[in-house]
Amino acid sequence: MYQLNEFDKREELDSQLADKVADILTKAVATKGKASIAVSGGSTPKGFFTALSQKDLPWNDITITLADERWVNMESDASNTRLVHENLLQNNAVNAKFFHLKQGDELCEETLADLNLAANSALLPLDVLILGMGEDGHTASLFPCSDEIDECFTTQSPLLKVSPKTAPHDRISFSFAALKNSKNVFLHISSANKKAVLNSALAETDIKKMPIRAFLQDPEINTNVYWAE
């Protein structure tokens, strides 16, 4: 299920979310010697990335990855990896480890098999998951009514290839099974338009039409929604 946290300003949201995430990561490192966090792409998390990067954390013991990635070169404006390197792996966070989802030129079965093994060893279960949400209700690269939507929700493999019909580029995405096992799940959204999408997602239950519903309505998932105008 979900808990809605509303803020008057995005700067306040970013600061409060960074404080919360920093506390979770610090405690995870103290308990088990390491921590992992997956973040979303797009423009929304930039302020949060900057706020978190300035925290005095045991960054050498923290691994950052992405909930999903477009299969493009890091130099591309469409690269979420570039976004993280330019906005999160800065300041104090420059010493954090980064788990690359986009490896090599071809997204094939062999690549997926290697990444799944590495993810199980280095990342999972995630201590923190920061999700975003598209206007069609997709999250990570779990796109509504895509050819892979059934596999997204049924596979037990951590990662899978997704080729959305409504968005450019092949993608690699964490599956629902991997995402739902995260110890702390956050949905980070802003603008009145995204609030309307959130309300629409809460109005019905078909997760294939709006995959974000799985994180908002599953009683086994405690999703903290952080929203600001």
Side-chain angles (χ1 to χ4, degrees):
M1 301 300 288
Y2 77 98
Q3 177 180 338
L4 179 60
N5 305 273
E6 298 185 79
F7 299 88
D8 294 330
K9 298 181 179 180
R10 295 188 190 185
E11 293 81 5
E12 183 184 4
L13 182 160
D14 294 334
S15 176
Q16 292 289 324
L17 182 56
D19 286 345
K20 182 68 173 178
V21 170
D23 183 59
I24 294 169
L25 294 175
T26 299
K27 290 177 178 176
V29 171
T31 300
K32 59 180 181 173
K34 64 179 182 178
S36 58
I37 173 174
V39 298
S40 60
S43 59
T44 300
K46 285 185 178 180
F48 162 68
F49 287 169
T50 299
L52 184 60
S53 74
Q54 295 169 346
K55 297 294 183 182
D56 185 15
L57 301 180
W59 287 110
N60 287 326
D61 300 313
I62 296 172
T63 300
I64 299 169
T65 193
L66 287 153
D68 67 316
E69 176 60 298
R70 302 173 183 91
W71 209 257
V72 297
N73 292 327
M74 183 176 166
E75 293 75 20
S76 169
D77 290 339
S79 170
N80 288 331
T81 299
R82 176 180 174 180
L83 177 79
V84 169
H85 275 269
E86 292 180 351
N87 295 276
L88 178 51
L89 291 169
Q90 300 288 329
N91 303 313
N92 292 329
V94 72
N95 292 320
K97 303 178 183 69
F98 184 72
F99 184 92
H100 289 266
L101 295 184
K102 202 275 184 181
Q103 297 185 8
D105 296 324
E106 187 178 1
L107 180 49
C108 58
E109 289 186 10
E110 184 177 357
T111 304
L112 276 172
D114 290 343
L115 282 166
N116 278 322
L117 285 173
N120 273 319
S121 173
L123 292 171
L124 301 177
L126 293 161
D127 292 292
V128 177
L129 169 64
I130 311 289
L131 291 170
M133 180 181 67
E135 295 185 5
D136 59 356
H138 83 264
T139 191
S141 280
L142 313 186
F143 279 85
C145 303
S146 68
D147 290 341
E148 298 90 356
I149 193 63
D150 287 330
E151 184 183 4
C152 289
F153 282 105
T154 58
T155 184
Q156 295 304 303
S157 296
L159 294 156
L160 74 160
K161 177 182 178 181
V162 181
S163 301
K165 298 177 180 178
T166 56
H169 310 298
D170 285 342
R171 296 152 185 254
I172 184 167
S173 180
F174 275 99
S175 66
F176 178 66
L179 295 173
K180 74 170 293 187
N181 286 332
S182 303
K183 297 178 182 178
N184 298 273
V185 180
F186 298 88
L187 174 60
H188 182 193
I189 54 176
S190 61
S191 79
N193 187 45
K194 286 294 178 74
K195 185 69 174 299
V197 176
L198 176 66
N199 291 336
S200 178
L202 293 170
E204 297 182 26
T205 60
D206 189 339
I207 62 174
K208 292 182 182 179
K209 288 186 178 179
M210 295 188 79
I212 191 60
R213 287 174 175 151
F215 295 92
L216 298 171
Q217 300 180 12
D218 190 321
E220 296 182 358
I221 307 173
N222 182 25
T223 300
N224 277 281
V225 181
Y226 276 61
W227 175 84
E229 182 72 34

